[in-house]
Amino acid sequence: MEHFGVVSLIPTAVVLAVAVWTRRPVESLIIGALVGFVILAPGDPLTAFTDGMVAVMRNETVGWIILVCALFGSLITLLVRVGAAARFGDAASARIRTRGGSLAATWLLGLAVFIDDYLNVLAVSSSVKRFTDRHRVSREMLAYVVDSTAAPVCILVPISTWAAYFSGLLEETGCAASGRGLSLYIDAIPFMLYAWLAVALALLVGTGLVPAVGPMRKAERRARETGQVVPPGLEEAKLEGETDPRAAERARPWHFIVPVVTLVAATWILDLDILKGVVVALGLTLAIVVGTRLLPVRAALDTTMAGVLTMIVPLATVFGGFLLKEVNDGLGLTAYLIETVEPLMTPQLLPAITFLTMSLVAFATASFWGIFAVAVPIVLPLADSVGAQMPLVIGALISASAFGSHTCFYGDSTVLAARGSGCGVVEHALTQLPYALFAAGLAAAGFLVLA
């Protein structure tokens, strides 16, 4: 497989450096992608750049993400506008007495919504903000707990969209016989070490058994001492819109509970299709809002359209991530990293090296599903040839996918966790990174021991 060697690392390195310096993820991604297109097409980088943008917009996955996120934005904004989210938060907070209890409740709700990571981060974050705010939990901490029970939980449950994808991939690549992909996936679940550790660590941190460290400690101190739960420079009204006071007087907790339960149930019933689920939930919510006279028809429709606009920045970040992926694919980043570590892949080292290498690839490319369509046909036959334990290697691969989804600041799940929690994307990424790296280090050590 052709690649540009160590030069293929430059665009991602530029993105990380600019993002940490400026705290502006969209611009960082565009700058990194431009650098990549200059490397790929030094004679005409502008044409390469514009062609890359068009290619991203033609991508079916990007179109699907735009639809799902836009409709989620409409649904959440509508629930906030009529005061339904606030009513639910008030009712829940009456039963939660401590800060640790509010985050433990968030963690448990994250375990319950295991079908899809998009559904998880947006439904859970919109449900709990009211009562975590009352206990002065920083939005950075909330985003960390929400994100830690998204992809890491989804991969551990064999009836999620992640399990459906990866089990199908195992069959398509010939690594599992027809009809045996899910069985092989289930065999690998005990070895998905990063996911187990990330989920457990989130509970320990949320309940205070593991202390806040680094940037998270600073954020928690700010929230606890000043009551400012939202990171400086962000305003809640800008993120979600104002609540209509007249509608809020008539809203009840069921106005929130029924749409969210419908969202989860419809997604489950309709073949785990989150797009169909959110369409059903939004339609029902509009009917409830208008039917119970919380808002007139025109105001309800205006709010629905305004909700789409709240997702512009998250969608721009995801677009930039896919544009960077176009660059990295052209530079052969995945092939370069796999080729570099392939000589080290002995039966004892292969699971740990697979986890570390593919974690880096997933983080750099923001591709947590697609990149493994490339890696599985290379890594698993190699594992078979050297006599490595197949479930252990599969567990390492999928753990790497979970790590990438959990930590990449321009990855879709991380962006939506930050958006749903009312936290800046870079702030969320930097505050949760120490915990993610700690869990990754333990996972790598675990893979070495188990091999």
Side-chain angles (χ1 to χ4, degrees), residues 168-228:
L169 182 61
L170 292 172
E171 293 183 21
E172 289 175 12
T173 55
C175 297
S178 179
R180 295 289 298 168
L182 183 58
S183 176
L184 183 55
Y185 183 92
I186 292 172
D187 289 342
I189 288 177
F191 303 109
M192 297 175 187
L193 301 185
Y194 178 79
W196 290 110
L197 290 165
V199 172
L201 187 59
L203 178 62
L204 295 175
V205 173
T207 54
L209 295 176
V210 171
V213 297
M216 185 71 81
R217 183 179 181 182
K218 182 178 179 181
E220 284 290 275
R221 185 187 300 119
R222 180 201 70 229
R224 185 174 58 252
E225 295 178 356
T226 69
Q228 182 183 351

Side-chain angles (χ1 to χ4, degrees), residues 254-381:
W254 71 265
H255 284 109
F256 182 87
I257 294 171
V258 170
V260 173
V261 171
T262 299
L263 174 63
V264 176
T267 300
W268 179 284
I269 293 169
L270 298 171
D271 300 321
L272 304 182
D273 190 330
I274 184 62
L275 179 56
K276 292 179 181 177
V278 72
V279 167
V280 171
L282 180 58
L284 177 65
T285 303
L286 281 168
I288 290 173
V289 166
V290 174
T292 57
R293 298 184 178 181
L294 294 179
L295 290 177
V297 175
R298 182 182 294 274
L301 294 177
D302 286 345
T303 301
T304 301
M305 293 304 299
V308 175
L309 298 179
T310 66
M311 286 292 183
I312 292 297
V313 174
L315 286 173
T317 306
V318 172
F319 173 84
F322 272 85
L323 188 61
L324 182 65
K325 179 182 178 299
E326 284 285 314
V327 169
N328 286 330
D329 288 348
L331 294 172
L333 175 61
T334 303
Y336 166 66
L337 291 175
I338 292 176
E339 182 181 298
T340 300
V341 301
E342 194 170 355
L344 304 175
M345 290 190 173
T346 64
Q348 293 74 32
L349 295 178
L350 192 144
I353 291 177
T354 295
F355 170 68
L356 294 172
T357 304
M358 296 313 299
S359 291
L360 178 60
V361 171
F363 180 90
T365 62
S367 176
F368 319 121
W369 284 15
I371 202 66
F372 289 89
V374 176
V376 165
I378 299 172
V379 174
L380 295 190

Side-chain angles (χ1 to χ4, degrees), residues 44-232:
D44 190 4
L46 179 60
T47 299
F49 179 63
T50 55
D51 287 348
M53 290 194 292
V54 172
V56 169
M57 292 307 296
R58 287 176 176 168
N59 188 313
E60 289 185 8
T61 301
V62 174
W64 184 88
I65 291 173
I66 290 172
L67 290 172
V68 169
C69 292
L71 292 171
F72 258 112
S74 294
L75 177 62
I76 293 170
T77 302
L78 197 58
L79 293 174
V80 170
R81 176 72 171 168
V82 301
R87 286 291 186 180
F88 173 80
D90 290 340
S93 62
R95 294 168 175 79
I96 296 172
R97 305 299 176 87
T98 66
R99 174 191 176 281
S102 70
L103 287 170
T106 301
W107 185 84
L108 288 171
L109 190 56
L111 298 188
V113 187
F114 56 77
I115 297 173
D116 182 82
D117 52 337
Y118 283 22
L119 174 61
N120 185 303
V121 295
L122 291 172
V124 172
S125 60
S126 62
S127 303
V128 302
K129 276 188 291 189
R130 186 79 169 186
F131 60 77
T132 56
D133 284 355
R134 290 198 171 190
H135 291 287
R136 295 194 172 190
V137 174
S138 69
R139 292 296 178 81
E140 292 94 328
M141 177 64 79
L142 174 60
Y144 163 62
V145 174
V146 167
D147 205 0
S148 298
T149 55
V153 168
C154 290
I155 72 168
L156 296 175
V157 180
I159 47 175
S160 67
T161 52
W162 282 65
Y165 171 77
F166 280 110
S167 60
L169 182 61
L170 292 172
E171 293 183 21
E172 289 175 12
T173 55
C175 297
S178 179
R180 295 289 298 168
L182 183 58
S183 176
L184 183 55
Y185 183 92
I186 292 172
D187 289 342
I189 288 177
F191 303 109
M192 297 175 187
L193 301 185
Y194 178 79
W196 290 110
L197 290 165
V199 172
L201 187 59
L203 178 62
L204 295 175
V205 173
T207 54
L209 295 176
V210 171
V213 297
M216 185 71 81
R217 183 179 181 182
K218 182 178 179 181
E220 284 290 275
R221 185 187 300 119
R222 180 201 70 229
R224 185 174 58 252
E225 295 178 356
T226 69
Q228 182 183 351
V229 297
V230 179

Side-chain angles (χ1 to χ4, degrees), residues 144 216 363 403 406-408 427-439:
Y144 163 62
M216 185 71 81
F363 180 90
F403 174 82
H406 194 198
T407 57
C408 180
E427 288 80 2
H428 167 43
L430 292 178
T431 49
Q432 82 168 358
L433 188 59
Y435 302 109
L437 291 176
F438 178 65

